[in-house]
Amino acid sequence: MDDRELAQKAIAGDDEAFLAVMQLHKKDLLRTALAFLKNEYEALEALQEVTYRAYKKRRTVKEPAYIKTWLIRIMINYCQDQLKKNKRFISQDRVADTAVTDDFSRLELQEALAILSPEEQQLIYLKYFQDVKIKDLARQEQIPEGTVKSRLHKTLRTLRKHFDDKGGSDHGRTGRSKTQ
């Protein structure tokens, strides 16, 4: 049975197929939760909650081919809700903790992503961290591909401006600096 057939069975109400789908995408879901929550315990809790939410709503999935994207979106929404609830996007304590182990570029990227709206973060995450194609994003959002490209372009421009304001010459724009 291929992934699409498995997803179709899960959507139709087959519990074993649903568990198999969750097992299939577990690593991606955990990676997503860790990227947003920065805490292994909270990420595991998020996986449990997302499994429950997905189980309850599984019959609402219209296209079995996009079940992974659907699951990732549930995870992102859950993580963003948790971050809002705790009134912390990236708390200063966590930044300090991760600074010891993570490299500086990763911290800069996290800081830059934190300035984006939740919708923009989701778009960037799905496109560049989960490799979802533009046509799939467009179908998922039920908007034209041109709109997705436009939103991506605008969001990337926001990120570029953020990096430029922070001294952009370290981010692929060599030869330019704020002093020129």
Side-chain angles (χ1 to χ4, degrees):
M1 183 179 327
D2 68 9
D3 293 351
R4 189 181 171 101
E5 289 173 347
L6 194 61
Q8 280 177 323
K9 281 186 157 194
I11 293 165
D14 184 328
D15 290 345
E16 287 188 30
F18 177 78
L19 288 175
V21 166
M22 291 306 295
Q23 195 64 34
L24 185 67
H25 302 298
K26 181 180 171 181
K27 284 183 181 175
D28 290 324
L29 290 168
L30 267 175
R31 195 170 5 150
T32 302
L34 278 170
F36 280 84
L37 300 173
K38 319 282 186 266
N39 179 301
E40 192 173 332
Y41 174 77
E42 290 178 15
L44 289 172
E45 203 170 286
L47 181 63
Q48 287 180 334
E49 180 62 26
V50 167
T51 301
Y52 171 72
R53 290 181 182 188
Y55 183 79
K56 278 180 35 183
K57 298 284 186 180
R58 68 183 191 248
R59 293 177 192 265
T60 64
V61 177
K62 293 176 184 155
E63 179 55 52
Y66 301 126
I67 198 162
K68 177 183 172 186
T69 305
W70 180 74
L71 290 168
I72 296 288
R73 289 186 61 173
I74 293 172
M75 179 60 81
I76 290 172
N77 289 339
Y78 173 80
C79 291
Q80 289 174 336
D81 288 347
Q82 287 302 111
L83 293 171
K84 279 184 208 166
K85 187 176 167 182
N86 295 334
K87 296 186 177 184
R88 62 181 163 85
F89 241 110
I90 299 175
S91 75
Q92 293 305 316
D93 294 342
R94 292 191 184 215
V95 170
D97 287 346
T98 55
V100 175
T101 56
D102 289 349
D103 65 60
F104 187 67
S105 295
R106 187 179 176 124
L107 288 174
E108 284 183 301
L109 180 61
Q110 289 173 352
E111 181 185 302
L113 291 174
I115 68 166
L116 301 175
S117 71
E119 294 79 20
E120 291 170 330
Q121 286 181 18
Q122 186 171 308
L123 182 63
I124 292 293
Y125 190 80
L126 288 173
K127 175 67 180 135
Y128 296 108
F129 292 78
Q130 291 296 325
D131 293 326
V132 177
K133 294 179 179 158
I134 287 175
K135 71 176 184 180
D136 294 339
L137 289 169
R139 272 195 210 143
Q140 187 85 32
E141 296 289 327
Q142 298 180 346
I143 57 176
E145 288 182 34
T147 304
V148 174
K149 289 177 185 174
S150 173
R151 289 179 184 170
L152 265 175
H153 180 75
K154 179 184 169 267
T155 304
L156 290 174
R157 191 176 47 216
T158 301
L159 287 173
R160 203 170 293 124
K161 182 177 178 342
H162 171 78
F163 284 124
D164 283 348
D165 291 347
K166 292 221 155 233
S169 62
D170 291 340
H171 302 283
R173 293 186 173 238
T174 57
R176 284 181 56 190
S177 73
K178 289 184 125 183
T179 56
Q180 290 179 335

